Amino acid sequence: MKNSKLLKVLSVAGMGILSVGMLAGCGGGQSANQAVAGEEAVASETPAASETPATSEGIEATETPASDNVIVMGTNAEFEPFEYRENGMDIVGFDVEIAEKIAEHLGKELVIEDMAFDTLIMALNSDKIDFIAAGMTATDERRTQVDFSEAYFQSQQMIIVKADNTSISTADDLVGKNVGVQLGTTGDLFVSGTEGIASVAQFPTGTQAVMDLKNGKLDAVVIDAEPAKKMTEGQSDLKLLEAPFVEEEYAIAIKKGDEELLTAINETLEEIKANGTYDEIYAKYFGTAE
Ligand code: GLN
């Protein structure tokens, strides 16, 4: 019951809150800028290996003007199992494999550009990338800025706390607490829009939020369920609360009005769901077929 009250807060106040989140990302921008700087540093230290020709590292993609043979996916490769760097190198993950199918359908080569999550929509709308595949939730607010494909994944928000925490067991218990989120995400939207949270710390990546939780600077981190599972795997000092809240759907974002690409993406999704490829990819990253 209490949870449904919180759910209502999110859906009613969602649009306003996201704007605040975005202002924070663009205006004050300190943490967002740090995110970009940090990721660029990592990217230049770890050039993409040649064994995955379909995957290229962020900086190069920015410098390579999009050609007719190439389709550029924008993502934030800090979101395992959807997009992450395998051994700190190639960007791999569930979304990458879906994107590869889209590229295949179009007869183009996939190039991946890695950037801060809260800069993805801006990059799309300034033609730096062709589509966003980043575990991005299709929200009404985002629909005012981009078009979304059909949904390809059901998700939820979850809470991570220290293993010895006894004061937080549901989303309602976040009131009065210091909570970490990834800047500009739906977790950020939810926490920033929940009345009575003591402080909201917005990080460029969820991993950084979890670091501060481990260091005792935060009481909880709110993040999407699957990355939350990955982040707590084998971490005996952390626990993931079995209290998912806020249902969401991931979809691929494209520039508003890009009908041709939208159709191609939806056709690909339909095709891979019908021919078993989607289930294969799903089983690879989540263990069992959907
Ligand atoms: N699904 C969340 C959102 O869309 C988080 C995505 C992410 O961090 N990559 O905001």
Side-chain angles (χ1 to χ4, degrees), residues 173-282:
D173 301 327
L174 295 174
V175 169
K177 302 293 196 297
N178 301 311
V179 186
V181 294
Q182 184 181 6
L183 180 69
T185 62
T186 43
D188 183 5
L189 183 78
F190 172 80
V191 175
S192 302
T194 304
E195 261 179 61
I197 304 247
S199 74
V200 183
Q202 295 162 308
F203 294 86
T205 69
T207 312
Q208 284 162 285
V210 169
M211 289 294 250
D212 266 21
L213 175 65
K214 278 169 162 288
N215 295 338
K217 290 184 193 153
L218 297 173
D219 300 308
V221 170
V222 171
I223 194 159
D224 294 38
E226 296 302 332
K229 287 178 198 163
K230 287 287 172 198
M231 284 173 189
T232 49
E233 223 169 55
Q235 307 278 321
S236 56
D237 58 335
L238 296 178
K239 72 177 169 193
L240 180 60
L241 298 182
E242 286 303 319
F245 58 102
V246 188
E247 299 277 338
E248 304 179 4
E249 283 184 337
Y250 294 167
I252 312 266
I254 48 142
K255 206 173 172 183
K256 266 200 167 298
D258 195 346
E259 291 295 333
E260 225 176 284
L261 185 55
L262 179 64
T263 306
I265 290 175
N266 282 336
E267 275 171 8
T268 309
L269 290 174
E270 208 175 297
E271 202 174 278
I272 63 173
K273 279 179 184 168
N275 70 12
T277 306
Y278 180 93
D279 285 345
E280 268 169 41
I281 301 173
Y282 190 96

Side-chain angles (χ1 to χ4, degrees), residues 79 83 117 134-137 142 157 182 184-186 224 248 250:
F79 205 62
E83 41 271 329
F117 183 80
M136 180 173 273
T137 304
R142 289 177 182 152
Q157 293 296 313
Q182 184 181 6
T185 62
T186 43
D224 294 38
E248 304 179 4
Y250 294 167

